């Protein structure tokens, strides 16, 4: 996974990685950047991570997350000619310490998006849920979140395996 917002850095990394890479990230808030990432994805047979963000900011409710992801897939798949199978939707989790109400919205959004866009994949970074908490509590929150979000149908979870290994040893 090539994780940068700079298309020129993505292009350089793609020259090293070859095909089947994942370009993280693009979103509807920056359409020129999204178009550049789509061009790179098409020319290098790469997948795209599209963040659940548009000109109004990060989507927080299940309805907004669904609406933004539908528009993102329309833009990437329909208008840019990239198959939905190559689109990974990052639902952008919020810290439970400061925004606990958004956790249930994110879980519900996973189910809604999975039903509406069955050919795409969904992604969340677990550290976003636990951001700002002490280390031990972070791991507990992430383990709990992982159970709920995978049960809801999440396809890809990003987590710090070394932190989880340390706490469980």
């Amino acid at each position: 996974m090539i994780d940068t917002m700079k298309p020129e850095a993505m292009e350089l990394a793609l020259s090293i990685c070859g095909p089947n890479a994942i370009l993280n990230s693009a979103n509807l808030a920056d359409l020129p950047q999204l178009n550049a990432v789509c061009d790179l994805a098409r020319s290098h047979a790469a997948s795209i991570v599209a963040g659940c963000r548009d000109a109004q900011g990060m989507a927080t409710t299940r309805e907004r997350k669904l609406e933004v992801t539908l528009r993102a897939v329309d833009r990437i798949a329909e208008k840019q000619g990239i198959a939905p199978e190559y689109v990974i939707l990052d639902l952008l989790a919020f810290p439970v310490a400061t925004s606990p109400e958004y956790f249930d919205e994110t879980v519900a959004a996973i189910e809604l998006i999975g039903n509406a866009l069955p050919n795409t994949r969904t992604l969340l970074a677990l550290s976003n849920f636990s951001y700002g908490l002490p280390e031990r509590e972070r791991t507990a929150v992430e383990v709990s979140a992982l159970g709920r979000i995978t049960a809801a149908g999440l396809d890809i979870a990003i987590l710090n395996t070394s932190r989880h290994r340390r706490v469980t040893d």
Side-chain angles (χ1 to χ4, degrees):
M1 182 180 287
I2 300 165
D3 192 0
T4 179
M5 293 295 291
K6 298 179 180 178
E8 57 277 2
M10 288 179 182
E11 187 168 24
L12 177 61
L14 283 166
S15 70
I16 298 164
C17 295
N20 302 314
I22 300 171
L23 302 176
N24 185 14
S25 87
N27 60 64
L28 293 173
D30 186 346
L31 294 179
Q33 190 263 355
L34 174 64
N35 293 337
V37 172
C38 287
D39 290 344
L40 288 170
R42 268 194 319 279
S43 65
H44 293 278
S47 294
I48 297 175
V49 174
C52 199
R53 174 191 310 258
D54 64 7
Q56 296 175 33
M58 289 173 60
T60 57
T61 65
R62 64 189 83 186
E63 294 85 6
R64 274 269 300 139
K65 286 180 185 288
L66 177 62
E67 184 264 325
V68 170
T69 57
L70 287 170
R71 283 191 296 117
V73 170
D74 177 61
R75 178 104 188 173
I76 294 166
E78 310 266 331
K79 294 186 172 87
Q80 292 288 340
I82 297 170
E85 293 81 14
Y86 291 93
V87 179
I88 302 167
L89 302 165
D90 184 348
L91 303 185
L92 302 176
F94 288 84
V96 295
T98 57
S99 305
E101 66 279 11
Y102 296 137
F103 181 76
D104 289 333
E105 290 297 311
T106 300
V107 172
I110 293 166
E111 293 176 4
L112 284 174
I113 292 164
N115 290 330
L117 298 164
N119 294 326
T120 62
R121 291 170 284 170
T122 53
L123 172 145
L124 282 168
L126 293 179
S127 62
N128 291 350
F129 286 123
S130 66
Y131 184 77
L133 295 172
E135 188 76 19
R136 198 152 183 84
E137 284 80 4
R138 288 193 80 170
T139 302
V141 166
E142 291 173 15
V143 168
S144 176
L146 183 60
R148 294 241 353 246
I149 60 180
T150 55
L154 186 78
D155 298 299
I156 303 167
I158 299 173
L159 66 137
N160 180 341
T161 57
S162 65
R163 179 172 53 223
H164 288 268
R165 195 174 317 113
R166 273 196 320 268
V167 171
T168 57
D169 285 347

